[in-house]
Amino acid sequence: MKRLFNHRFLALIQKEFAQIRRDRRIAMSLILPPVLQLMLFGFVLNSKVQNLRLGVIDESRTPESRELIARLSESESFRLTSYYLSPDALTDAITHGKAQAGLIVPYDYARNLQRGRQANVQFLLNAMDANTATIARTYAQSVIASYSANLQSSGLHAEFSQIAVPDVGRRGRVDLQPSFLYNPGLVASWFSVTGVLGLLCILNGSLVASATMVKEREAGTLEQLLMSPADTSEIVLAKIVPLFLLLCMMALFAIGIMRVVFHVPFHGSFMLVFAGAALCLLSGIGIGTFIATFTQSAEQAQLTSFFVNPPMSSLSGALTPMEAMPHWMQPLAKFNPIYHFGVICRASMLKGSGIETLWPNFLALLVFTVILVSLSVWRFRKQLG
Amino acid sequence: MSVPATYPADPVPSPEATGSAIRTSRLLKRYGAIEAVRGLDLDIVRGEIFGLIGPDGAGKTSTFQILAGVMEATSGTVEVFGKPAREARSQTGYLTQTFSLYPDLSVAENIRYIGDLRRVAPAEIAERGLRYLKMFDMDRFADRLAGRLSGGMKQKLALVCALVPEPKVLLLDEPTTGVDPVSRREFWDALAHLAADGLTIMVATPYLDEAERCHRVALMHLGEIHQTGTPAELRAGLHAKRLELRTTELAKAEQLLTQDAGDGREILDVQRFGDRLDLLTVDPENTTKYVEEKLKSPQLQISEIQTREPTLENTFVATLRSLGQEIRPEPFPGRYDHTDLRGQIAIGATQLTKRFGAFEAVKHVNIQIRYGEVYGLLGANGAGKTTTIKMLCGLLAPTTGEIQLAGETGSLRSQSVRQHIGYMSQKFSLYDDLSIEENLNFFAGVYGVPESERERKRNWALSFSGLEGKEKQLTGSLPGGWKQRVALGAAIMHEPSILFLDEPTSGVDPLARRAFWNIINRLADLGTAILVTTHYLEEAEQCNRLGFMVAGELVTEGTPSEIKNRQEGHLIEFVVDQPQGAADLLKQTLERWRVSLFGDRLHVVTDESAQAGIQSTTTQLAKHGIQVLGAREERFSLEDVFIGVVEKARQQGKVASED
Amino acid sequence: MRRILAQTRKELIQILRDRLALALVLVLPVCILLLLGSSIALTVSHLPIIVQDFDDSSISRELVDVFRASTSLYVTSWPTDRQPQDAFMTNKARAALIIPEHFGRDVLRKQSSPVQFLVDGSDSNTASLVAGYATAIVNAYNAIHSGATSPQPVQAQIRLWYNPGLSSKKYSGPGVFVLAMSMFAPLLASLAMAKEGEKKTILQVYVSSISAHEFLLGKILAFTLVGLAECVPLLVLLHFYFGLSFVGDPSSFFVATVLYSFCVAAFGIMVGAAIPSRVAAMQMVALGGFLLVFLLSGLIFPIDNIPIQIRWISNLVWGKHYIYVVRDAFLQGGGWPSTWLEVLIIGFTGLVFYTLAWRTMRRMQVKA
């Protein structure tokens, strides 16, 4: 190791730093992606079901029907946009996206209620977006159920209670009391930005690394370098060290944004997250270097990375829950460093988990990093020699 | 030996007689604060080959782009056949400096595409394409991808593409850079042919041997034209003669004679070549005596001293000097002296062979280069030069054979070996994205030049490059020729005892090239072994020894004079009244390579005696009504020898001619 | 016209020669559609939850069994002496159902009996889903056991339109299809264009006096064809793997697809003309094609959730309009009446890109 820190290594490192300093594209790709991706993903990726546009046909036009409509549109989930006169008009509105949900209150609604008969309403949902539809359905059901319950208990519609079969239930009601841990406000961005951090480290790391690694070959300066007394491991190391340091700064910057802009809590150890990020960066550098050894130019390297990055990010559980993948795909994620970092990052930041629970993920991350880095360095050195 | 001949005035058609093809007036091009072209006035006559000679950064490319109508001038006017350049595009063919066709299209597809773009009828594209491909002996390669062609073939393809729309003017921007001598001669033969058919050709080149083949030449420097005229006029304009002096101890003789050389002195200029000195003088007879006198006292043996015409290079060097462009670098601040190693083998190879699959790139090459020697390795593209060098310096492992490098035979890649080696590769040996200073610091650091010396070495490299005060500039913004100088400076800062220079002078102007060779000779005097490759055989004359590679084999080796003397046959220069007709006629009976046109003069290589050759050729030409105005035997140039060697090898079937 | 076709033919030959490019437009989009289309989904079923039953009565076991019977949740038991949070820490469960002591007794006494449901909120969407699933299960349980015979006064009949099976694949499939269409053809287009500048082959074009319109149209036509070729295997995959077929009149979809291919090809050419460096142009297209279309077009995340301040941007994202047309063709079947505006917008955006490209190139001269 001592042998490494000699004048040659110093000259190589200085050269790399000088090149990086001049390369505006590197500087851009260390600042722009963290800002842009975190901001966009954090602010835009919001799956929360709220303010769904509700279109209503109120054929009943009674205080009872208006109360039902008010109940639905007062809730967080639905927002009354307009009334329609015919089912065709409502259908049209849903098809064109002017409304996402529709409520049809039949003309005999109030009369049925008053006579103590069950009143049916139709609730239409545009289910193209399965997630929104699933959640919206639950909301609608519970709003209507609680409205029903109110009707039963309050004296307002006494007629109904009188006519209705008296309570013959054998048991008391089970009252489910959900409470949300770690993220009581269900802030969507906490999930997305913690996932994006891993994507950033790996994908951006590999992009920057492949560009740097292939640069020398593309410019034709590699031969000159190989003729110098510098050792191949010195050359490789001198390229990796500055990159790694810069990328670490990027990771810190990204973590800063998470904290300041998105107020992600830091329940666990910062060092743990940072160490995970560092391993991710090294993995990313490994992947980038590996790609670089197969390509002749930065253009090719970048094109090739299209074959690696999208599959890696989609099989990572970073942006969408792991369980949403088809079952046969889920085990694949276990071989993905982004997945393990996502687990570490979320568990540590949001839940305050420590190494004692996260060690398997850490170990996996470490193993991948070691494999990727040594494989790529081996290939790179082989090409040099 | 030479038969004196009086040349008639060069038959350059006058503008009044035939009209101008290209006329520019006060042409100016400014990029920001930099003036690339500064008030250019050109008048190019129809049907002539007009050479624009100048180093990288002289403004040639900007001029060409304006003439081709693809860039607007800042001010001034251009007329191409009476029209503004942009409107004359349909009559203009333009070859850019870098290959500007599509490497992933085949030869035929490239021709078709360009033809279509220029609205040539499909039938005519096919007909003309085939005709020109045949003319350049390329019709076999119609289906080959352009990217797989050799450098020379690529340029010929580019020429075919430019010719398919049948332009009236051809603009060729350094068409032969990186092209080997054989292809270059073929290319120029083709140009001569086209000009004879009435095409106007304007061609840029940094090389003066090519300038000899133009009707008229202009020297361009820093955006301005300094001299225009026929090659003969320019040579005559120097009012001086050249003395070739051969002596045993060149270095010492050079030193003695340089002391009192200079403007207005007996000797105007001294230039050292591999085995001779060239002296420029106004009065050859007196100078001969003076030199003999001068060298008598240290008892230097003069083996030969001859009076010759000056070369174009002499002219341009004189012009550039008068412009104050000469760089006089401080002496190289070398500390180490490798003279103790002198005579020992620095680079040695026995039976060196390299196979790539079934292809034998290098076949049983034996080379020995000693310390203190400048060795030139020459060869056409694909002859195996680059592969050989890569093996010799340890970048590539040979298939069989042994290599000795700096006394080491086993591991050529060891640090201690590389510490003694300097290497400057073809085009890219500096980092474009670093400043000049950072580049120099990097090379000093990686080679471990001691702290105490770095300052001095760096300053020297800057003064050698003529870039003092510009060390903060980005290397990428320098023209190629300047980069080469910095690269050489960087490669020798650690005072290597062995130096590999792979085409070190491409794009370098004549004066800087002399500075290059000055330092190369100086290093050799200090005992450094130097291996150089070049495509320019005029430059190869500066080597002590040369090796010619053909198809992976080293076919000839020796000093430049030895090699030239070894050449069989005679070279005869004819002056005739119909040069192109004569050339075409002779090519019907003689092999193509034996006949070539140099401007208005015809070179013929004959295996008979000189007199017999002159007679038989004269009678043959007379039969067809072509009159010979003068004839004399010329010495073979290295290029003639080289082409002869390659052609002979080709006849013997050694060279599978490009497949 | 002849020059346009010459330009197109040249581009197509070059693409066909480039194996990496071919893989990029024919193989990679298929892989991405397969992977992203089926993995980028939010609707999760089979979510692991744990149960801590402090009561351990027949009633509590009955409740747990109802949970077990659900396909949305997957129950594992958890020792009562361990903190349920431990399960969240190690990601073994998404939620914990905690049944207190005396639960069974209270239920039998017809008292309202609370059970605790702890949800790991770190993934907010999944947390909402889990809570929703659990609520639905408990509601169903209550309906059976506490008020089975009493009808609800108001009964909602919920109709799920266009995707009654609530399959995420059917939603994300068309989205990823659009993503793939927005990425690769323009990527190659920008490369081809930037390359002409970088390798100086553009000089030959300049000197040939071809007009900027002819040159650009020729190139754009080539990459429009590339985009359409890319579209074929993707449609096959959408049909067979995602189970999507045209509902109603597909003619607006086909017109929109041709226009969209033109639009993205023009985008690529524009970027390549404006940025004469291949790597930088590629990054630009990746940004435009991927990030914008992925995030701002309603590909997976509803546009309505984008903060209002930046939501208007999504109207400028060309992918948004195309996604609308594609989803309409495969799920809603609205046809021309519901998509004509989007089709127009796509065509118009293409024209804007074309005009911008033309503005950079119109002089057909070296810029200095």
Side-chain angles (χ1 to χ4, degrees):
Chain A
M1 234 8 222
K2 200 181 159 201
R3 201 174 52 91
L4 275 178
F5 295 98
N6 52 22
H7 57 86
R8 276 194 308 274
F9 191 63
L10 206 69
L12 285 165
I13 287 261
Q14 277 173 348
K15 182 208 91 184
E16 294 293 334
F17 269 119
Q19 285 185 302
I20 289 171
R21 210 184 55 218
R22 288 260 156 61
D23 194 340
R24 249 181 296 159
R25 207 171 295 143
I26 287 197
M28 289 255 291
S29 56
L30 289 175
I31 295 172
L32 206 61
V35 176
L36 211 63
Q37 291 190 23
L38 283 173
M39 292 292 183
L40 277 175
F41 278 87
F43 283 128
V44 174
L45 290 203
N46 186 350
S47 51
K48 197 160 183 178
V49 178
Q50 55 190 2
N51 294 329
L52 292 184
R53 291 183 294 277
L54 178 71
V56 170
I57 300 179
D58 184 4
E59 289 171 348
S60 171
R61 293 183 208 179
T62 52
E64 285 86 351
S65 67
R66 279 194 284 277
E67 194 187 338
L68 173 70
I69 294 163
R71 278 296 185 94
L72 266 173
S73 49
E74 271 162 16
S75 76
E76 201 191 17
S77 317
F78 300 100
R79 178 166 52 89
L80 179 63
T81 41
S82 57
Y83 285 95
Y84 296 90
L85 291 174
S86 70
D88 280 350
L90 181 60
T91 310
D92 239 38
I94 293 179
T95 312
H96 290 130
K98 289 196 197 86
Q100 290 156 297
L103 176 72
I104 305 178
V105 187
Y107 67 94
D108 55 357
Y109 173 77
R111 203 171 55 204
N112 279 339
L113 280 183
Q114 281 154 13
R115 292 180 186 172
R117 274 187 294 202
Q118 192 176 46
N120 283 322
V121 294
Q122 271 198 59
F123 193 78
L124 310 175
L125 261 176
N126 184 339
M128 283 201 300
D129 177 357
N131 182 58
T132 307
T134 312
I135 295 176
R137 181 175 59 179
T138 322
Y139 285 164
Q141 272 170 341
S142 45
V143 169
I144 291 173
S146 80
Y147 173 67
S148 267
N150 260 350
L151 281 181
Q152 273 175 312
S153 54
S154 79
L156 199 69
H157 300 282
E159 293 159 54
F160 186 87
S161 342
Q162 282 159 16
I163 296 162
V165 186
D167 185 9
V168 293
R170 288 160 290 148
R171 301 177 182 175
R173 292 179 64 87
V174 176
D175 184 13
L176 190 77
Q177 299 179 325
S179 58
F180 296 97
L181 299 179
Y182 313 123
N183 183 3
L186 291 182
V187 183
S189 62
W190 290 4
F191 178 71
S192 47
V193 293
T194 43
V196 170
L197 184 60
L199 287 181
L200 265 179
C201 289
I202 297 255
L203 304 190
N204 212 29
S206 80
L207 271 183
V208 176
S210 67
T212 314
M213 291 303 193
V214 85
K215 193 172 177 182
E216 200 119 11
R217 184 176 350 189
E218 196 177 10
T221 44
L222 191 60
E223 229 168 63
Q224 187 71 33
L225 200 55
L226 288 178
M227 278 314 293
S228 77
D231 192 64
T232 47
S233 44
E234 285 172 350
I235 296 175
V236 177
L237 206 64
K239 287 195 171 300
I240 288 183
V241 169
L243 263 188
F244 178 65
L245 291 178
L246 279 171
L247 287 167
C248 279
M249 280 164 57
M250 179 204 76
L252 281 177
F253 178 55
I255 294 174
I257 293 181
M258 288 165 67
R259 183 81 195 97
V260 175
V261 180
F262 295 101
H263 309 292
V264 178
F266 271 70
H267 292 305
S269 131
F270 166 78
M271 278 320 289
L272 191 73
V273 173
F274 187 68
L279 285 180
C280 264
L281 290 173
L282 282 176
S283 293
I285 291 176
I287 294 170
T289 311
F290 197 66
I291 290 175
T293 57
F294 285 101
T295 51
Q296 296 298 322
S297 66
E299 175 206 352
Q300 274 184 11
Q302 210 164 6
L303 283 184
T304 312
S305 66
F306 280 113
F307 289 87
V308 181
N309 292 351
M312 263 188 72
S313 34
S314 63
L315 290 179
S316 65
L319 300 175
T320 51
M322 267 280 288
E323 291 90 340
M325 291 182 209
H327 282 281
W328 59 271
M329 277 185 194
Q330 290 185 19
L332 293 177
K334 300 267 151 65
F335 294 96
N336 189 339
I338 302 178
Y339 162 73
H340 293 285
F341 179 66
V343 171
I344 293 172
C345 193
R346 283 174 190 145
S348 169
M349 283 182 172
L350 303 179
K351 305 178 192 170
S353 310
I355 189 77
E356 61 288 348
T357 50
L358 292 172
W359 65 267
N361 300 102
F362 230 95
L363 189 68
L365 198 53
L366 191 69
V367 169
F368 291 133
T369 306
V370 169
I371 290 175
L372 281 171
V373 170
S374 43
L375 191 71
S376 59
V377 168
W378 169 75
R379 258 197 70 90
F380 197 76
R381 283 195 55 183
K382 207 178 89 176
Q383 281 198 337
L384 296 188
Chain B
M1 270 296 276
S2 63
V3 181
T6 45
Y7 291 122
D10 286 312
V12 176
S14 67
E16 292 73 35
T18 52
S20 295
I22 302 174
R23 199 199 292 263
T24 72
S25 142
R26 305 240 179 103
L27 197 62
L28 188 95
K29 180 69 200 177
R30 205 180 283 130
Y31 300 97
I34 301 160
E35 284 186 347
V37 180
R38 305 196 286 188
L40 212 59
D41 292 306
L42 282 176
D43 194 347
I44 294 167
V45 180
R46 294 186 187 188
E48 77 170 329
I49 303 181
F50 187 88
L52 197 57
I53 317 297
D56 282 3
K60 289 176 298 181
T61 299
S62 298
T63 308
F64 273 96
Q65 290 189 338
I66 294 169
L67 295 184
V70 298
M71 188 166 72
E72 259 169 38
T74 311
S75 67
T77 57
V78 182
E79 271 180 23
V80 180
F81 280 92
K83 287 189 212 162
R86 199 152 169 78
E87 282 163 38
R89 279 183 296 172
S90 59
Q91 298 173 353
T92 313
Y94 175 34
L95 251 67
T96 49
Q97 195 170 10
T98 46
F99 180 64
S100 68
L101 293 168
Y102 301 90
D104 44 358
L105 294 185
S106 73
V107 167
E109 285 161 353
N110 265 305
I111 295 173
R112 166 124 198 236
Y113 174 60
I114 298 289
D116 278 340
L117 281 193
R118 296 189 148 234
R119 293 216 180 95
V120 182
E124 283 185 1
I125 297 176
E127 185 271 319
R128 290 179 200 166
L130 189 67
R131 174 151 51 91
Y132 288 117
L133 283 180
K134 272 196 177 136
M135 177 170 156
F136 298 141
D137 200 21
M138 276 181 68
D139 46 327
R140 287 166 293 146
F141 305 119
D143 292 326
R144 183 174 293 192
L145 289 190
R148 301 246 173 88
L149 298 173
S150 69
M153 301 260 274
K154 272 184 192 156
Q155 290 304 49
K156 283 196 255 176
L157 169 61
L159 193 56
V160 172
C161 287
L163 287 171
V164 164
E166 309 226 297
K168 290 190 192 161
V169 182
L170 265 187
L171 302 169
L172 314 174
D173 191 0
E174 299 199 6
T176 55
T177 300
V179 175
D180 68 64
V182 181
S183 308
R184 276 202 297 147
R185 178 161 293 190
E186 283 171 6
F187 192 86
W188 276 92
D189 281 347
L191 291 189
H193 199 279
L194 292 166
D197 288 348
L199 196 63
T200 308
I201 299 172
M202 179 163 167
V203 57
T205 173
Y207 283 93
L208 295 159
D209 53 345
E210 294 191 338
E212 300 271 1
R213 303 194 60 162
C214 299
H215 293 114
R216 281 197 307 156
V217 181
L219 171 69
M220 191 162 181
H221 189 75
L222 294 177
E224 283 175 276
I225 284 187
H226 292 286
Q227 269 181 314
T228 315
T230 65
E233 279 168 10
L234 292 182
R235 277 194 299 266
L238 192 61
H239 304 296
K241 294 282 177 195
R242 188 167 59 94
L243 289 181
E244 282 186 4
L245 169 70
R246 287 182 167 72
T247 168
T248 39
E249 285 186 66
L250 283 179
K252 212 175 252 178
E254 185 196 9
Q255 206 187 348
L256 274 173
L257 296 173
T258 313
Q259 279 168 3
D260 38 36
D263 280 344
R265 306 274 185 91
E266 188 70 50
I267 300 171
L268 301 172
D269 185 27
V270 180
Q271 191 180 5
R272 177 167 156 190
F273 286 87
D275 54 1
R276 67 163 206 263
L277 290 182
D278 269 15
L279 312 174
L280 216 56
T281 170
V282 181
D283 182 357
E285 275 165 49
N286 273 335
T287 309
T288 308
K289 281 178 201 145
Y290 170 83
V291 169
E292 280 165 351
E293 197 62 36
K294 187 94 184 166
L295 298 184
K296 211 172 260 170
S297 52
Q299 298 207 316
L300 288 178
Q301 203 72 46
I302 295 175
S303 44
E304 195 183 17
I305 188 160
Q306 282 179 316
T307 308
R308 309 212 156 260
E309 285 294 310
T311 60
L312 270 184
E313 170 145 0
N314 294 135
T315 322
F316 287 141
V317 165
T319 310
L320 289 174
R321 273 207 181 129
S322 68
L323 292 170
Q325 288 300 322
E326 185 158 39
I327 300 160
R328 292 183 191 280
E330 301 152 26
F332 182 60
R335 269 191 325 142
Y336 306 107
D337 194 313
H338 312 293
T339 36
D340 51 324
L341 295 166
R342 199 174 260 287
Q344 290 179 38
I345 291 174
I347 308 169
T350 42
Q351 296 293 316
L352 198 61
T353 298
K354 180 73 192 179
R355 252 179 249 118
F356 295 108
F359 173 65
E360 228 173 11
V362 176
K363 300 168 195 164
H364 309 287
V365 165
N366 295 305
I367 283 186
Q368 285 188 338
I369 301 167
R370 291 169 197 281
Y371 286 103
E373 189 176 29
V374 184
Y375 187 96
L377 194 60
L378 308 179
N381 288 326
K385 260 181 326 178
T386 308
T387 313
T388 308
I389 291 189
K390 281 194 173 165
M391 286 193 286
L392 290 178
C393 63
L395 283 174
L396 196 68
T399 311
T400 57
E402 284 190 6
I403 298 173
Q404 186 189 346
L405 186 63
E408 187 77 48
T409 49
S411 159
L412 304 180
R413 303 267 315 134
S414 76
Q415 267 175 30
S416 58
V417 170
R418 275 181 288 160
Q419 191 68 54
H420 292 117
I421 290 175
Y423 179 83
M424 180 180 156
S425 66
Q426 260 173 7
K427 277 166 202 151
F428 320 93
S429 32
L430 297 174
Y431 294 92
D432 278 352
D433 49 354
L434 294 185
S435 69
I436 297 162
E437 190 178 32
E438 283 165 336
N439 260 307
L440 292 173
N441 284 344
F442 169 65
F443 283 102
V446 84
Y447 279 100
V449 174
E451 258 344 302
S452 54
E453 288 174 37
R454 284 193 196 176
E455 183 77 31
R456 240 153 41 94
K457 293 267 172 71
R458 198 171 56 220
N459 289 340
W460 174 82
L462 286 172
S463 83
F464 172 71
S465 328
L467 290 168
E468 289 136 313
K470 295 184 181 165
E471 57 266 28
K472 301 274 185 235
Q473 205 176 326
L474 267 195
T475 312
S477 66
L478 292 177
W482 296 71
K483 245 190 262 181
Q484 296 291 85
R485 299 193 219 172
V486 184
L488 181 68
I492 60 177
M493 276 194 294
H494 65 292
E495 298 177 37
S497 57
I498 298 175
L499 191 56
F500 289 93
L501 302 173
D502 194 1
E503 293 185 30
T505 57
S506 60
V508 175
D509 70 73
L511 266 182
R513 210 174 321 148
R514 288 184 67 168
F516 253 77
W517 280 98
N518 234 318
I519 183 74
I520 289 173
N521 285 329
R522 204 61 59 231
L523 291 172
D525 290 344
L526 286 170
T528 311
I530 299 161
L531 177 62
V532 191
T533 70
T534 174
H535 276 327
Y536 293 91
L537 290 143
E538 210 159 79
E539 182 170 279
E541 300 253 10
Q542 313 221 19
C543 299
N544 300 127
R545 269 199 313 142
L546 294 173
F548 282 10
M549 278 192 85
V550 178
E553 284 179 72
L554 196 62
V555 289
T556 306
E557 223 182 8
T559 66
S561 305
E562 278 168 16
I563 287 182
K564 281 190 261 182
N565 293 338
R566 223 177 279 156
Q567 174 74 359
E568 292 159 14
H570 301 274
L571 173 66
I572 296 153
E573 183 176 281
F574 291 95
V575 179
V576 294
D577 56 354
Q578 302 165 41
Q580 188 61 47
D584 290 344
L585 186 69
L586 292 174
K587 276 183 185 170
Q588 288 169 10
T589 48
L590 297 170
E591 295 142 293
R592 282 166 83 108
W593 64 272
R594 288 179 184 271
V595 184
S596 49
L597 203 56
F598 281 73
D600 53 326
R601 288 153 298 135
L602 194 62
H603 281 193
V604 178
V605 177
T606 170
D607 287 341
E608 302 165 296
S609 77
Q611 285 303 332
I614 290 173
Q615 263 173 10
S616 66
T617 309
T618 308
T619 31
Q620 194 193 347
L621 288 175
K623 259 187 231 162
H624 292 83
I626 297 169
Q627 202 191 341
V628 173
L629 304 171
R632 66 168 184 182
E633 182 174 9
E634 266 281 318
R635 277 173 159 245
F636 280 114
S637 72
L638 258 185
E639 187 176 290
D640 295 319
V641 177
F642 180 79
I643 288 167
V645 168
V646 173
E647 290 299 337
K648 277 188 183 136
R650 195 172 281 176
Q651 280 162 25
Q652 291 159 16
K654 275 186 189 160
V655 186
S657 60
E658 231 177 306
D659 278 306
Chain C
M1 195 61 200
R2 215 184 112 212
R3 288 175 166 191
I4 297 178
L5 290 180
Q7 188 65 40
T8 306
R9 183 174 50 234
K10 184 215 108 191
E11 299 296 332
L12 290 178
I13 294 175
Q14 286 184 306
I15 298 247
L16 288 175
R17 292 257 158 78
D18 186 347
R19 254 185 266 162
L20 191 59
L22 276 185
L24 209 69
V25 287
L26 295 179
V27 182
L28 188 61
V30 172
C31 301
I32 285 188
L33 180 54
L34 199 66
L35 282 173
L36 255 73
S38 46
S39 68
I40 294 225
L42 292 166
T43 327
V44 184
S45 56
H46 224 64
L47 287 165
I49 66 163
I50 53 167
V51 170
Q52 280 186 315
D53 188 353
F54 288 95
D55 187 40
D56 202 24
S57 63
S58 62
I59 300 290
S60 70
R61 281 193 294 272
E62 202 177 279
L63 180 66
V64 172
D65 282 342
V66 180
F67 271 90
R68 270 188 221 282
S70 148
T71 50
S72 325
L73 302 174
Y74 170 77
V75 176
T76 40
S77 50
W78 191 255
T80 44
D81 54 346
R82 273 186 79 179
Q83 283 290 321
Q85 277 90 335
D86 288 352
F88 299 155
M89 292 279 190
T90 50
N91 286 322
K92 288 219 167 61
R94 292 285 193 163
L97 178 69
I98 299 162
I99 304 174
E101 272 181 281
H102 311 305
F103 168 77
R105 192 192 63 194
D106 290 350
V107 166
L108 288 177
R109 288 179 184 170
K110 302 194 182 181
Q111 286 173 350
S112 180
S113 317
V115 292
Q116 220 188 344
F117 194 63
L118 295 179
V119 185
D120 176 351
S122 55
D123 175 353
S124 57
N125 183 63
T126 310
S128 308
L129 279 173
V130 173
Y133 291 146
T135 312
I137 291 168
V138 171
N139 281 345
Y141 177 86
N142 283 337
I144 297 167
H145 294 290
S146 60
T149 49
S150 91
Q152 296 282 318
V154 181
Q155 180 73 41
Q157 295 172 330
I158 297 187
R159 300 253 148 74
L160 299 175
W161 282 5
Y162 311 126
N163 186 7
L166 284 176
S167 149
S168 308
K169 266 196 336 194
K170 293 195 173 173
Y171 184 67
S172 53
V176 178
F177 166 77
V178 173
L179 181 68
M181 291 288 288
S182 314
M183 271 298 276
F184 299 107
L187 198 69
L188 293 181
S190 73
L191 278 180
M193 190 70 197
K195 197 174 186 174
E196 300 254 13
E198 237 179 35
K199 301 266 178 191
K200 305 273 186 247
T201 45
I202 195 76
L203 290 176
Q204 282 305 337
V205 178
Y206 288 162
V207 84
S208 75
S209 71
I210 182 177
S211 74
H213 283 300
E214 290 170 313
F215 179 66
L216 291 172
L217 280 178
K219 270 198 187 287
I220 292 175
L221 179 61
F223 289 97
T224 305
L225 292 176
V226 169
L228 292 175
E230 177 189 347
C231 159
V232 174
L234 294 180
L235 287 179
V236 172
L237 193 68
L238 279 184
H239 182 72
F240 288 104
Y241 183 74
F242 290 85
L244 290 165
S245 32
F246 294 117
V247 196
D249 171 22
S251 63
S252 77
F253 168 79
F254 287 120
V255 172
T257 303
V258 172
L259 286 178
Y260 192 68
S261 297
F262 166 79
C263 173
V264 291
F267 172 67
I269 295 291
M270 178 199 80
V271 171
I275 309 176
S277 142
R278 276 178 286 171
V279 176
M282 195 156 33
Q283 276 167 353
M284 193 60 210
V285 174
L287 188 80
F290 188 76
L291 222 51
L292 287 184
V293 174
F294 187 79
L295 291 171
L296 291 172
S297 66
L299 185 106
I300 16 172
F301 300 95
I303 291 178
D304 299 279
N305 286 348
I306 299 173
I308 192 90
Q309 299 87 340
I310 54 168
R311 195 179 304 161
W312 59 274
I313 299 175
S314 79
N315 285 321
L316 302 180
V317 176
W318 43 105
K320 178 202 160 179
H321 306 286
Y322 187 51
I323 285 189
Y324 181 81
V325 177
V326 176
R327 287 201 174 129
D328 182 81
F330 285 112
L331 298 167
Q332 299 189 139
W336 281 108
S338 70
T339 52
W340 63 271
L341 183 62
E342 276 69 23
V343 177
L344 268 180
I345 293 175
I346 293 169
F348 178 73
T349 315
L351 275 184
V352 170
F353 288 144
Y354 177 79
T355 313
L356 290 175
W358 177 78
R359 277 185 63 84
T360 4
M361 292 296 296
R362 62 169 187 248
R363 297 177 56 202
M364 294 299 272
Q365 269 188 349
V366 178
K367 290 167 210 90

